[in-house]
Amino acid sequence: MNKASSVLFVWACLFLVSVSCEQTFQPLDKTDDVFSIYGVLDVHSDTQWVRVMPVGETYLPQDASLPPSEVRLIREATGETTILNDSLFKFSGDTYVWNYWLPDSVQKNELYTLIAENEEGEQSRVTLETPSRLEIPEVEVRAGQTRVSGPFQDSLVVTAVNYLVQPITDMGCSQEVKISVSQMDHTLLTSDGGYFFIVRGSSAIRDELGTNNYVVNRSSVEVVTATGSWPDATSLEEIEVALPEVISNIENGTGVLAGVARREVILTPRQPPC
């Protein structure tokens, strides 16, 4: 997994909507940060999700009574302001987080400002630009190889194959495991503004599971483009990428909010667990 994909993995694990990780990061000893903000504004999604948490003793507090904050999104071209809905999520253990959502799409190639404000009027904010729309990747299977290709206009930041697999043991089928395999290291760019790669993943699955004996219950290919709001982690070590205070584009806060165009194509449809 390259460093750009590592950033996406860290966000997904620590701060985005669907994952129940239990890690907690302590903030700096002395900080003026008001909120931690993590998420993406996706021009191809009809719902936007952003995790916004006040910076206190931990970045992921264990206080269910923590009140929501006001989070608003401004479309700079028109001045239109929308208040995001709030939802309190409880992970395993006693970790609670506030996810804020907007049941709407965002426009391509536009500036947006997200502002989070607490009851004392303190704010964290970030302004970002959304990318152009991204065409759905073309998937071609030939001679036992799966080739993925397509044109793109902005920065290509993620090419990956996502698997839902089940290890098979002497005792039967184990619990399903999600594995994401970056394809960036062997993604090639073409002279006409395109990309292509041959799907590789079996060795990464074997290394992750420690066995060749498994079944794939679902697989999909993912391609993401972004503008300058996507963090540049090329000069950082992977341990640095995982630290909230190292990569941030939030004013008076910590975290990253980026504009992206994300496409996913199903390679093998969902199969029931064995």
Side-chain angles (χ1 to χ4, degrees):
M1 179 180 292
N2 65 16
K3 292 188 180 73
S5 294
S6 295
V7 175
L8 187 64
F9 172 79
V10 170
W11 295 355
C13 179
L14 296 177
F15 302 101
L16 296 184
V17 177
S18 61
V19 181
S20 58
C21 299
E22 298 182 50
Q23 295 151 308
T24 57
F25 282 130
Q26 299 295 331
L28 299 174
D29 292 337
K30 293 182 179 180
T31 178
D32 294 326
D33 295 341
V34 182
F35 292 96
S36 65
I37 300 175
Y38 288 87
V40 294
L41 300 183
D42 183 357
V43 298
H44 294 298
S45 177
D46 58 6
T47 303
Q48 313 301 321
W49 288 90
V50 183
R51 177 154 298 167
V52 179
M53 292 298 297
V55 175
E57 294 181 358
T58 63
Y59 282 102
L60 295 180
Q62 298 177 317
D63 184 2
S65 65
L66 191 70
S69 305
E70 181 179 274
V71 178
R72 55 188 183 271
L73 185 67
I74 303 171
R75 183 182 175 189
E76 294 291 349
T78 64
E80 178 186 2
T81 299
T82 304
I83 304 297
L84 276 66
N85 301 292
D86 57 73
S87 298
L88 182 66
F89 280 70
K90 181 181 183 297
F91 290 153
S92 57
D94 295 318
T95 298
Y96 297 85
V97 296
W98 282 105
N99 289 328
Y100 294 82
W101 54 282
L102 172 67
D104 201 356
S105 58
V106 292
Q107 302 301 311
K108 65 176 183 177
N109 303 125
E110 290 205 23
L111 290 176
Y112 286 86
T113 297
L114 184 131
I115 301 174
E117 184 173 337
N118 62 21
E119 293 179 345
E120 290 74 36
E122 298 173 312
Q123 295 182 351
S124 296
R125 64 170 59 211
V126 55
T127 298
L128 59 89
E129 183 181 5
T130 55
S132 304
R133 295 181 66 84
L134 178 65
E135 291 190 20
I136 297 174
E138 181 178 342
V139 177
E140 181 182 13
V141 179
R142 181 183 299 176
Q145 291 186 323
T146 301
R147 185 181 190 273
V148 180
S149 62
F152 71 101
Q153 298 183 52
D154 300 282
S155 297
L156 191 67
V157 296
V158 173
T159 55
V161 182
N162 302 318
Y163 297 95
L164 184 62
V165 301
Q166 267 187 295
I168 308 299
T169 68
D170 294 338
M171 303 298 292
C173 298
S174 298
Q175 187 175 0
E176 290 181 316
V177 179
K178 294 180 180 179
I179 297 176
S180 182
V181 181
S182 174
Q183 311 291 303
M184 286 291 285
D185 287 343
H186 59 272
T187 296
L188 300 179
L189 306 183
T190 63
S191 59
D192 59 351
Y195 67 88
F196 74 90
F197 61 89
I198 304 299
V199 169
R200 303 174 187 175
S202 58
S203 61
I205 296 175
R206 181 194 62 228
D207 293 344
E208 180 82 12
L209 299 179
T211 178
N212 280 319
N213 196 12
Y214 60 86
V215 293
V216 176
N217 290 337
R218 184 182 185 274
S219 65
S220 65
V221 63
E222 176 185 17
V223 178
V224 180
T225 57
T227 60
S229 59
W230 185 267
D232 180 8
T234 54
S235 63
L236 299 177
E237 298 296 328
E238 289 195 7
I239 186 64
E240 294 177 300
V241 172
L243 298 175
E245 65 269 21
V246 173
I247 297 180
S248 177
N249 64 348
I250 310 300
E251 180 183 342
N252 296 326
T254 187
V256 177
L257 184 67
V260 304
R262 178 183 180 272
R263 291 294 200 180
E264 183 179 24
V265 176
I266 302 300
L267 299 179
T268 56
R270 179 73 161 100
Q271 301 297 316
C274 61

